[in-house]
Amino acid sequence: MTDRAPLEFTIEHNQNPTSDAERAEILANPGFGVRFTDHMVMIDWTVDGGWRNARVVPYGPLSLNPANAIFHYGQEVFEGLKAYRHEDGSVHTFRPEKNAKRLQHSAHRLALPELPVELFVESLEQLVRVDEQWVPAHGEDKSLYLRPFMIANEDFLGVRAAETVTYMLIASPAGAYFSDPTRPVDIWLETEYSRAGRGGTGSAKCGGNYAASLLPQLTAAANGCEQVLFLDACSEKFVEELGGMNIVLVYEDGTVVTPESDSILDSVTNDSLLQLCAAAGVKTERRPVTIDEWREGAAAGRITEAIAVGTAAVVSPIGTLKHPEFTIENPPVTADSFSMRIRAKLTGIQNGDEPDEFGWLHRLA
Ligand code: COI
C-alpha cells in the first residue's frame, strides 16, 4: 500500500462504553483535556508499506516496549482542533485542512511521514461519528476537543528517523481553557529561556516545544501568571508567542498586529481572526514586534489590547505582562473590546450561529 487516501477504516466498538448518566455528568463540567471519549483512531505507517490499518478502536492504554524510540528522542507531532454542535444537532469542525497541512509541516520537520490531508480529515469524521454523543450541546460554549498526534513507534535506541510510526486521534469534551474566558490572563515575560531558535522546531507543533515551555511556565505560575511569553532566542528583543498560543496586539487606530517569525506556530485561530478583520475593513499587519514597542505603546496608550489566540484558548484577553523589572498593564476589557467582539464572531461561526462566509466549516456528523 502506498500513501494514497482513502484507506478503508475498520471499527471495533467499545463493549464497555461510558454510561449515559456518567457521560452527562462529564459533559456538564468537562474541564479541559481530562476526560476522554470511548474510542480512538489508529493508523500505522511503515517506511516500506506507507499508511495502512486505519481503525477506530476502544479508547485505552497503549502497550509499548520501553525501548520504543518515542520515549527517548521525542519524535512526535500533534494538532488541536474542535468539533462544535450546531443548533440543528449537526456537528462541524473548523478548517480541518489547515490543521492537516500544519501536521504535515510539523511531521516533515520531525522526519515523520506526512499523513495525506484526506486521511486526516476522514479520521476526524470516523471518530466523531462513533463518539457523536460526546459532543456537548449547542450554546454552552463547550466543544469536543480533537487531538490528532503521530509518534515514532519502533523499538530501537539508535538515533535515526523511525521506520514504523503510528498516527492516533483521541477526543476530549472541553470547556474553557482558562477558567473564565472573558477574564484577562496575566502573562510572565521569560528572559532566561527561549522556546525556539532559528532553524529549530519553533514552527512545528511538536511535544518538545511544549516541554521546553514547562520550566518557564512554573516560574510564571510562581509569579501569579497563567502563561509565559517568549522572545526570540537570537536578539531577545522580538515577541514570539506564549507557551501554547499566539499573540495579537490592537492599536488605538484599530490596527490589529501579530508578530511574524519563522519560529512561531502558524495558528489557525490567528489566521482566521486576521481574515475576519480584513473582511471587515480592519487593517491587519503580520510583522516583527519588539517587546519595547509593546511596552512603550501600552504605556503611551497606543496599544489598547493584547490577546492570546489559539484553538484551546480561542481569543483570551491579556491583563498584565509581568517581568522582574517592569510590568505592562493593558486597559480593562469591556463588552465592546475588540477581543470580546472578535471572539463572539469567531465562536458564532464555529457554533453555526453566524454565517460561514469563508466556507470554513466541515460537517463531521
Ligand atoms: C491548542 O490550542 O490546541 C493547543 O494545542 C495548545 C495547548 C495549550 C492546549
Side-chain angles (χ1 to χ4, degrees):
M1 188 67 156
T2 56
D3 292 5
R4 265 183 298 120
L7 279 184
E8 279 295 308
F9 277 73
T10 59
I11 300 180
E12 181 193 341
H13 286 277
N14 191 329
Q15 296 305 314
N16 194 15
T18 312
S19 70
D20 288 351
E22 192 185 342
R23 192 178 57 247
E25 202 178 306
I26 294 168
L27 293 185
N29 190 10
F32 183 88
V34 285
R35 303 303 294 258
F36 301 92
T37 65
D38 291 317
H39 297 87
M40 61 189 186
V41 165
M42 299 182 81
I43 312 177
D44 302 321
W45 178 91
T46 61
V47 71
D48 298 326
W51 294 103
R52 62 171 75 215
N53 200 9
R55 55 207 189 274
V56 178
V57 292
Y59 181 90
L62 304 175
S63 171
L64 296 177
N65 189 311
N68 194 303
I70 186 59
F71 296 130
H72 304 276
Y73 310 120
Q75 197 190 1
E76 181 268 357
V77 294
F78 69 99
E79 270 304 318
L81 65 172
K82 288 173 173 171
Y84 308 88
R85 175 86 63 194
H86 286 195
E87 199 167 13
D88 66 1
S90 60
V91 178
H92 301 251
T93 191
F94 186 73
R95 307 186 73 187
E97 296 83 7
K98 209 160 158 53
N99 292 90
K101 288 189 184 137
R102 192 171 65 183
L103 187 71
Q104 290 183 335
H105 169 81
S106 305
H108 175 73
R109 180 62 186 85
L110 273 283
L112 285 162
E114 293 180 28
L115 185 77
V117 170
E118 302 76 15
L119 196 48
F120 176 94
V121 174
E122 192 179 355
S123 73
L124 309 177
E125 292 168 352
Q126 292 282 349
L127 184 63
V128 171
R129 272 185 218 140
V130 173
D131 279 338
E132 203 233 300
Q133 289 173 305
W134 284 90
V135 183
H138 175 76
E140 292 187 345
D141 218 6
K142 294 175 192 158
S143 57
L144 183 65
Y145 185 77
L146 303 171
R147 171 53 63 88
F149 62 104
M150 192 190 293
I151 55 169
N153 192 357
E154 185 178 350
D155 304 335
F156 179 69
L157 293 185
V159 182
R160 62 151 167 78
E163 295 183 349
T164 56
V165 165
T166 302
Y167 164 81
M168 296 186 64
L169 168 65
I170 57 174
S172 172
Y177 188 76
F178 297 118
S179 49
D180 173 358
T182 59
R183 185 181 58 78
V185 290
D186 290 343
I187 307 285
W188 177 253
L189 175 59
E190 174 60 47
T191 47
E192 186 178 0
Y193 299 106
S194 303
R195 175 184 167 275
R198 185 183 303 159
T201 57
S203 70
K205 200 163 174 67
C206 61
N209 292 342
Y210 293 76
S213 77
L214 299 178
L215 181 60
Q217 183 72 40
L218 287 178
T219 313
N223 284 280
C225 295
E226 281 154 287
Q227 270 288 318
V228 53
L229 172 68
F230 292 97
L231 300 178
D232 76 289
C234 198
S235 71
E236 297 178 347
K237 286 192 177 118
F238 292 96
V239 175
E240 294 245 301
E241 67 173 322
L242 303 180
M245 45 213 77
N246 276 192
I247 287 279
V248 166
L249 300 176
V250 184
Y251 287 66
E252 63 176 339
D253 68 353
T255 305
V256 172
V257 177
T258 195
E260 182 176 51
S261 154
D262 288 344
S263 51
I264 61 182
L265 194 74
D266 180 16
S267 156
V268 178
T269 309
N270 198 357
D271 179 78
S272 308
L273 181 148
L274 294 184
Q275 283 197 49
L276 287 173
C277 287
V282 173
K283 190 173 160 209
T284 63
E285 292 173 5
R286 204 185 266 278
R287 60 166 172 82
V289 175
T290 63
I291 190 66
D292 288 345
E293 174 180 343
W294 184 352
R295 190 178 165 186
E296 288 157 17
R302 285 193 299 278
I303 294 177
T304 53
E305 288 182 58
I307 311 167
V309 296
T311 299
V314 194
V315 174
S316 299
I318 295 173
T320 305
L321 181 67
K322 294 189 193 169
H323 179 269
E325 285 152 29
F326 63 88
T327 58
I328 297 176
E329 297 286 350
N330 293 295
V333 177
T334 68
D336 198 40
S337 294
F338 170 82
S339 61
M340 292 297 102
R341 286 184 286 117
I342 199 79
R343 182 187 174 93
K345 176 83 185 165
L346 188 63
T347 55
I349 295 172
Q350 292 168 333
N351 291 317
D353 299 328
E354 292 265 352
D356 177 22
E357 281 158 3
F358 292 89
W360 281 337
L361 296 180
H362 180 101
R363 185 162 179 175
L364 294 175

